[in-house]
Amino acid sequence: RRQKMKCLFSYIPYRIISSLFVFFLISSCGKSDNPDNPAISRFTWTYLGINYTANQDTGYINNVGPTPTIVAGTGTNFLTFTRRFYFILTSFNPGTYSLAGVPAPNNFMYIDDAGFNHGGTSGSLMFTANSNNRMSGNFSGMMTGPSGTNPVSGDFTNMFIKP
């Protein structure tokens, strides 16, 4: 019994630390009118004739890789966040990047309301600005999903880049 309790207690700190990490990562994606961070970001896209606006978005360097990643989604906090659109890139430096499907170095994906993945097959992403941990740009391409292969386009403005 003593051994069981020891194992239980040694497991709890890792679970707490992991939960806190996820909490801080996702909560930092939300829009903010914090006076120390006044620029509000915007991420929009059009796919299958429908216009979408994310209410949470961020860019960050994924520690697995490490790879620059952009993620945009819906929800008002980390508990309700749903990832919708994301890019795995080689850099956040200004310029134009060719996009392709996974496992290409610069790829993108959309997850629809039903949870189906729509994978990018071709396209481009252009960073028009990147300074003071904020970036802006636009993208266009083709995605394949349950409804076939269709065009997608969008833009983002003042997206925060997590240091």
Side-chain angles (χ1 to χ4, degrees):
R1 179 164 169 102
R2 183 175 171 171
Q3 182 64 23
K4 234 183 198 179
M5 291 301 281
K6 184 177 181 183
C7 289
L8 176 64
F9 287 123
S10 66
Y11 173 72
I12 289 173
Y14 297 112
R15 187 176 183 128
I16 291 170
I17 291 168
S18 297
S19 297
L20 287 173
F21 174 76
V22 170
F23 166 77
F24 288 119
L25 176 66
I26 299 300
S27 65
S28 67
C29 295
K31 309 289 187 208
S32 171
D33 56 2
N34 180 342
D36 296 329
N37 195 12
I40 300 297
S41 64
R42 181 178 58 84
F43 187 105
T44 62
W45 70 96
T46 302
Y47 184 58
L48 298 174
I50 301 170
N51 297 320
Y52 298 91
T53 300
N55 53 0
Q56 296 187 62
D57 55 64
T58 193
Y60 64 96
I61 303 297
N62 184 341
N63 290 329
V64 178
T67 55
T69 302
I70 293 175
V71 64
T74 57
T76 55
N77 60 51
F78 83 100
L79 293 174
T80 61
F81 178 76
T82 301
R83 181 176 64 175
R84 294 299 183 157
F85 215 103
Y86 65 97
F87 296 87
I88 307 292
L89 303 167
T90 55
S91 174
F92 287 148
N93 292 333
T96 302
Y97 296 81
S98 294
L99 300 171
V102 174
N106 295 308
N107 63 73
F108 61 116
M109 187 167 286
Y110 165 67
I111 302 169
D112 67 19
D113 291 337
F116 291 110
N117 289 327
H118 300 250
T121 57
S122 63
S124 65
L125 179 141
M126 179 191 306
F127 287 113
T128 56
N130 182 342
S131 63
N132 298 320
N133 287 329
R134 296 282 178 174
M135 62 185 166
S136 299
N138 56 67
F139 60 93
S140 63
M142 299 298 287
M143 300 193 92
T144 299
S147 56
T149 301
N150 296 284
V152 62
S153 62
D155 60 60
F156 50 94
T157 306
N158 288 323
M159 180 184 294
F160 181 65
I161 304 170
K162 287 180 56 70

